Amino acid sequence: MPRGQAKKEDTLTVLLTQELQRQGLDAEPQVRLQGRGKGWADALVRLGRLSIIIEAKTGQGAAHRQAASADCRKRIENGHCTAAVAVCYPSDATSANFSQAVLEYAILDADTEDPEWLSGQPHELASTVKMAPAQLGNADLAANQLRGELDKALAKLSFQQKQDLARALDLPITPMPKPGDFTGNNRQANLERALAAWEVRKYDTAAIRGMLVIASAMMFHARLDEYLGNELGDRHRPQFDARGETLTPYSGPWPPARLSRCKDAVDIVAAVGDAWDTILALDYKPVFQTALAGLKAPYDDRNWRDSVKIVADAAGNLTNSLAGGRQDVMGRIFHRVLDTAPYDGSYYTGTAGAALLATLAIRPDDRDWTDLDAIAGLNVTDPACGTGTLPIAAAARIRELAGDVDQERLSEILVEKVLRLYDINLTATHMAATTLGLMSPSTQFRNMNVHRVRLGPPQYDPNGEQTLPAQVGSLEWLETNPTLIGWPEYRVSEQIETKQAEASRLTPADLFIMNPPFARGSLRYDQFTEEEEKIVKEREDTLLRNTPADRTGGSNGFTVLAQRHIKAGGRIASVYPLQLAQAASGQGIREMLAREFHIEFVIALNDPQGMAFSENTAIGEMLVVARRWREDDDRAAAGTTFVKILRKPTTPAQSKFIGEAILRCQDHPDYAISHWPQERMLAGDWFPTQFVRDELVQLFVDISESKWFPAASGDDAGQQGPAGRRILDAFSRTRQSSVRCALWEHKTDIQRTMMTKPDCYVVAKQDKEGLADDYWAQRGRVLRPFRLRIANTRVTTVLCDQPIMSVAFVPYHPETGNHTPEDVEKATVVYLNSTAGLTAMLGVVTNRLIVYPQWTKANWEKVNFPDWSKLTVAQVKAMAAAYDELCGSELQEFRAMLTCDTRKRLDDAVATALGIPSNVMETARIALASEPAVTGKTFTGDALVGGLS
C-alpha cells in the first residue's frame, strides 16, 4: 500500500475510534498484539469480556471487502480476539467529511463463513459494535451439541428418576394419545400401541426440560465464577443470609466453589448442591433455587451423578464457546432443544425480529435516555415472555439509547424496575431469569420481576373444598388477578415445595412487547385430561366474552389485555400471525387497535425465503407497533406505515439498521413502504400487507370500491362447494367406471388451459354414503383454487363441461342475475385468470409461504367479483366470448405472464368489458410479474428491467 494511502487509512481509523469512544465504547487505535502472529491491530474495542479487533481498508470493492475480512479472520485464528469487524472506508473519505461518510462493515467470529455486509455512517457502525455480543457464536450448533449431551444424560435415568425430576419442577408430561388421533381400520390397535409406548416415555420431555434447567443454572454458575471468584470473595461475601424467611447474619463458607472444581468432585451432586446453596445465601433465587430442587429430586445413585457430570461438562463447554454470554443464546437453545412450539404455540422470536420490533417501539425522543431516574420510571411488560427474547431486546435498545451512562447501574435498573415478565412455563421463565442474570450478575434478583402465572383447572383440598379456581395465566388480569407460582424450593426435609400467591393488579405499562401464543387453544391444554381441558377453555372463553377476542383467543386475547393496561402514549409492540391482517376472525381486533391506538407500523415479510420472524414455524407473521391515543392527537390526520420487508434480516445489527431507516422515512432496497389512511384502518383494512407494489394495492382497493364496475363478494357473489380434505373423507378414487367423476389433482404441466376435464372416477367410502351424496350435490362446473404455487401455476380457475368435484379445486356457483349460467361461468373463469382477478384473490389470501397462498372459506368470501346482476348483457357476453376464443389456448406460468400472449389477450378482454383503463391493467400486470409471490424470488424491482417491453 502506498505510504500516503496508509497514512490516510490510519487517520480515518483514529477518527472511527474517537466516534466509538463518543458512543461509550472502550476503544483504542493502533494496538500492538502479543502472542501468535503478533502485529498491530488497526483498533481494539473491549466490550465486557469481549475483545473486538477492527481491521480497515480504504476502498469499497469486492477485493477490499475480501482483504479486510481476511485480516479479521487472521486475528481470530491467532487468538487475539473473540470477534472482529471488517471496515471499508469510501475512497473519498476525509477528516472533514468522515462523520457523514458511508462505511461498509461486517462482524466476524470463528463461525462466520459468509459475513453479512452492512453500510452506514460511523455512529451506526458504533451501534453495531455494541450489539456484537448478540450476534456471536453459533447458537444453533451449541443447541444441537447440548441436546446431544442431554439425551446422553437422559438415557442413564430410570423411569422413577425422570418422574421425580418432572414432579419436582412441576413440569407437564408428554400428552397422552387420544382416540381421536387415530383413524383407519387399525385405529384401536394403533391407539393401544401408542398408549403402551407413552407409558414408557411420558416423562422424557419433562425430564429433558428439567435437565435443561440444571444446565442453564450451571452456565450461570460458570458466569459467576468470574464475578464471585476467589480474588473478589471478600468483597461479595453476603452480610445477611438471603436463604431464610428473615435476614440473619451470614457466617457460612465463602466464596462458593467454582463449577470447574465441582465437576471434578467425587460426589458431583453434593458439590454442586453445596455451591448453589452457598450462592443462594447472597442472591439469585430464581436461578438456583429452582435448579437445586431439580438437582436434589431424583434418587441419588451413580447413574444420576453420571448424568449431572455430563450436563456440567456440556454447560461448561457451552459457556466457554459462546462469547460474551450473547443475549439470545438461552432462548434459542431452549426452543431448539425442546421444540415445544407446535404443542403450546410458544414460538421463539428470532433476535433479528426482536431487534427490529424494539427499534421501532422505543424511540430516541420518547424520553431523556441519559436520565437514569427517567428510565427507572419506565414499565416494559411482556405477559407471555417465554425465554425473554423480546424484553431483553427492549433492554438492549434502551442501553443503546442511553449512551455512556453507568451501564452496570443501568442494567440493574432495567432488571429490577423496568422489565416485568410473565409466562405459564416454568422452564421458560427460569431461562428468562438466567438470561437477565447473565446480562447483569450484580442485579438484585430478589427484586427481579420474572413470574410464572398459573394455567390449570380448579384445585381442591382433601375435604373437597376448592382452593383455586380454573385459571389461564396472564389473561386472568382481564377480570381479576392470576396466581403466581413461586420457584420450586428444596428444603432440608427433602420435600419439594412450590409456593403460590395472588398477583397484584397489573401496573399500567409504557410498553407491552410480546409474541403471545397463537396456536389453537387445545394445543396449550393437552397436558390436562379432557374434562380439565374443557373447564380451562371455558374459563378463557368467559374472560374473552364481549371482547373483540371473543371465540378467537390466542394472541387476540393478549391484545385486549394490553389495551386495558397501557398508558396514554404507551405502545403495544407485538408479533402477530399474518392472517390477522385479513382473517374475518381478526376484524374486531383490527378495528379495536385503530380505534384505541395510532397503528404506527405494520411490518410484514415478503421474502420467499421465509415469512416468519419467529423460528421453528411456517406460520406467516407480522410486527405491529401501535401507540395509545392521547387526547390532543389529530386522529384523522394519522396514518399507518406498512413496511414490506423484501429480504429477511438475519442479525440484530441488520434489523437495527433497517429499523432506523424506517424511522427516518428513508428509502431502502430491503423494504417497500405503503402509507394507509386512518379511515381505512378504522374499517379494519390491512390490505397492503399482501403486496409489495403500491399499484396492486391500489388496484385491489379500486376493485373493492367498485371504481370501474359494480363488485360483489361473499354470498352475493356465489356459493362454494366442498373440496380437499372433505372430499377425501367421503370419496376414494377407483379404476372402474362410475357415474361420479372428479378432478383429483392440479398438475401445472397438465392443466395448461382454462378448460378442464375429469381425471378419475370416485366412489363413496364405506359408511360415508350419506356424506358423499351431500358433497356430490354441491359439485360444479366452475372450479376455483384453495391453494396454489403461484410461480409455476398457469391457471387459477377452470371450467368443465359437466359438474364435477375436485380435491385440488373448490366447486363454485356464481350468482348469475339475469344472465345465463353458462355465460356467467365463462366470465367468472376469465376474470379469475386475469390480472384483475388474481389481484382480487391475492389481496385476501392466507399465507404460510409467500409462494404458496391458500384461501379458506372465510378468505374466499372476501374476494371481490364483478356483480354479474348489475352488469349489462353485452359486458357478460364479451367476457364469455373471450373464454370461447381463448379457452383452448395454452397459458404460460404466471412468472412468465409478461411474455404470455394469451394472458395479455385475457387482460385486454376483461379491461374492455369491465371498463378498466388499459394502462391500469397493463401497469398492474407489470407490477404483478415482479411480486415475490409470482416470481418465487426476492423482489428486485420492475419486472421490465432486463429487456422485456
Side-chain angles (χ1 to χ4, degrees), residues 714-837:
D715 291 342
D716 293 334
Q719 301 295 320
Q720 306 173 58
R725 181 70 245 179
R726 297 170 67 188
I727 297 296
L728 295 174
D729 288 341
F731 289 97
S732 299
R733 282 187 288 185
T734 178
R735 294 184 179 182
Q736 298 178 354
S737 297
S738 169
V739 296
R740 293 174 174 176
C741 51
L743 179 60
W744 201 263
E745 296 178 298
H746 184 181
K747 292 186 176 180
T748 57
D749 58 338
I750 296 175
Q751 196 62 60
R752 295 167 175 257
T753 67
M754 292 183 289
M755 63 179 182
T756 193
K757 59 183 179 181
D759 61 7
C760 68
Y761 294 106
V762 294
V763 293
K765 289 185 174 180
Q766 186 176 357
D767 299 327
K768 298 290 184 180
E769 289 82 2
L771 185 62
D773 290 343
D774 180 43
Y775 288 169
W776 181 248
Q778 300 177 59
R779 67 195 185 281
R781 289 185 357 115
V782 176
L783 302 173
R784 60 87 176 168
F786 69 92
R787 61 174 177 246
L788 288 174
R789 293 195 181 276
I790 292 289
N792 57 5
T793 294
R794 298 171 183 267
V795 292
T796 65
T797 309
V798 293
L799 183 65
C800 187
D801 61 2
Q802 60 179 303
I804 59 173
M805 295 180 311
S806 179
V807 174
F809 291 90
V810 180
Y812 185 68
H813 306 277
E815 291 294 328
T816 60
N818 296 323
H819 307 287
T820 67
E822 184 178 3
D823 282 347
V824 173
E825 287 172 343
K826 292 177 179 179
T828 298
V829 173
V830 166
Y831 172 73
L832 289 178
N833 280 294
S834 72
T835 293

Side-chain angles (χ1 to χ4, degrees), residues 111-126:
D111 297 309
T112 304
E113 295 181 3
D114 186 16
E116 295 277 357
W117 283 84
L118 304 173
S119 59
Q121 295 175 348
H123 73 277
E124 293 173 313
L125 169 58

Side-chain angles (χ1 to χ4, degrees), residues 209-525:
R209 286 188 179 220
M211 299 302 285
L212 188 57
V213 165
I214 293 171
S216 64
M218 288 176 168
M219 291 176 66
F220 193 30
H221 186 172
R223 174 78 167 91
L224 288 176
D225 284 346
E226 295 181 22
Y227 182 68
L228 303 177
N230 291 326
E231 67 279 6
L232 300 176
D234 289 339
R235 194 179 85 183
H236 292 290
R237 173 185 288 274
Q239 183 177 358
F240 295 98
D241 193 334
R243 293 171 295 188
E245 297 293 336
T246 59
L247 294 180
T248 57
Y250 180 70
S251 58
W254 196 261
R258 290 174 173 265
L259 179 64
S260 56
R261 182 176 178 182
C262 294
K263 288 194 302 180
D264 296 331
V266 174
D267 187 345
I268 185 174
V269 173
V272 171
D274 289 345
W276 289 356
D277 189 58
T278 303
I279 292 172
L280 283 168
L282 176 64
D283 200 357
Y284 313 111
K285 187 175 182 178
V287 175
F288 293 107
Q289 181 171 286
T290 303
L292 190 58
L295 182 72
K296 293 290 188 178
Y299 178 77
D300 189 4
D301 61 5
R302 179 175 179 178
N303 284 337
W304 176 239
R305 291 191 289 273
D306 287 346
S307 296
V308 173
K309 178 68 164 63
I310 290 171
V311 174
D313 287 337
N317 294 336
L318 191 58
T319 305
N320 293 332
S321 65
L322 292 171
R326 59 181 287 193
Q327 295 165 4
D328 73 308
V329 156
M330 302 302 285
R332 179 169 295 188
I333 286 174
F334 172 82
H335 286 272
R336 289 296 173 90
V337 167
L338 300 181
D339 193 19
T340 61
Y343 307 103
D344 57 19
S346 56
Y347 293 102
Y348 167 62
T349 313
T351 50
L356 178 57
L357 190 61
T359 299
L360 295 174
I362 304 173
R363 317 281 176 77
D365 57 354
D366 282 346
R367 64 189 60 220
D368 181 0
W369 296 108
T370 64
D371 184 346
L372 290 177
D373 289 335
I375 295 174
L378 189 66
N379 177 340
V380 176
T381 296
D382 187 342
C385 68
T387 56
T389 304
L390 284 172
I392 289 168
R397 172 66 167 166
I398 293 169
R399 285 200 303 273
E400 172 202 337
L401 293 173
D404 58 357
V405 302
D406 183 339
Q407 290 293 309
E408 189 61 31
R409 177 59 186 145
L410 174 59
S411 292
E412 293 173 4
I413 288 173
L414 290 172
V415 175
E416 296 176 20
K417 298 182 180 296
V418 174
L419 302 179
R420 291 166 170 82
L421 282 62
Y422 306 91
D423 202 276
I424 62 173
N425 189 317
L426 169 69
T427 326
T429 49
H430 179 267
M431 300 288 277
T434 304
T435 304
L436 291 177
L438 289 170
M439 183 172 74
S440 175
S442 64
T443 295
Q444 295 294 306
F445 272 55
R446 62 183 65 92
N447 297 326
M448 181 184 285
N449 294 298
V450 181
H451 301 285
R452 181 186 175 199
V453 285
R454 180 176 176 269
L455 168 72
Q459 287 185 356
Y460 301 90
D461 65 17
N463 297 321
E465 295 292 327
Q466 181 175 295
T467 56
L468 282 174
Q471 293 180 311
V472 287
S474 296
L475 291 180
E476 290 295 325
W477 269 303
L478 290 169
E479 182 180 280
T480 180
N481 298 330
T483 295
L484 300 183
I485 303 177
W487 306 104
E489 185 170 355
Y490 180 78
R491 296 291 189 181
V492 176
S493 62
E494 297 187 1
Q495 296 296 315
I496 302 298
E497 298 183 7
T498 303
K499 297 182 180 179
Q500 298 180 341
E502 182 178 304
S504 59
R505 294 303 298 163
L506 196 60
T507 306
D510 299 277
L511 174 64
F512 262 81
I513 188 165
M514 57 187 183
N515 183 1
F518 44 78
R520 60 184 176 88
S522 62
L523 293 177
R524 299 196 299 277
Y525 306 139

Side-chain angles (χ1 to χ4, degrees), residues 516-537:
F518 44 78
R520 60 184 176 88
S522 62
L523 293 177
R524 299 196 299 277
Y525 306 139
D526 275 350
Q527 59 188 284
F528 307 124
T529 67
E530 290 185 3
E531 182 60 30
E532 290 172 337
E533 178 180 330
K534 179 181 178 182
I535 294 171
V536 176
K537 291 170 76 172

Side-chain angles (χ1 to χ4, degrees), residues 488-601:
E489 185 170 355
Y490 180 78
R491 296 291 189 181
V492 176
S493 62
E494 297 187 1
Q495 296 296 315
I496 302 298
E497 298 183 7
T498 303
K499 297 182 180 179
Q500 298 180 341
E502 182 178 304
S504 59
R505 294 303 298 163
L506 196 60
T507 306
D510 299 277
L511 174 64
F512 262 81
I513 188 165
M514 57 187 183
N515 183 1
F518 44 78
R520 60 184 176 88
S522 62
L523 293 177
R524 299 196 299 277
Y525 306 139
D526 275 350
Q527 59 188 284
F528 307 124
T529 67
E530 290 185 3
E531 182 60 30
E532 290 172 337
E533 178 180 330
K534 179 181 178 182
I535 294 171
V536 176
K537 291 170 76 172
E538 286 176 350
R539 175 58 182 164
E540 181 174 335
D541 291 342
T542 299
L543 290 172
L544 299 180
R545 193 169 298 137
N546 300 321
T547 77
D550 189 16
R551 291 187 295 275
T552 63
S555 54
N556 293 344
F558 284 89
T559 302
V560 173
L561 176 69
Q563 178 264 329
R564 294 187 182 179
H565 295 88
I566 204 84
K567 298 177 183 176
R571 289 190 175 94
I572 290 176
S574 184
V575 183
Y576 288 103
L578 185 58
Q579 67 182 27
L580 175 68
Q582 297 300 334
S585 61
Q587 180 74 15
I589 288 294
R590 296 194 296 270
E591 292 176 355
M592 183 204 75
L593 281 171
R595 187 172 60 251
E596 303 289 339
F597 295 81
H598 173 202
I599 304 174
E600 297 172 302
F601 297 103

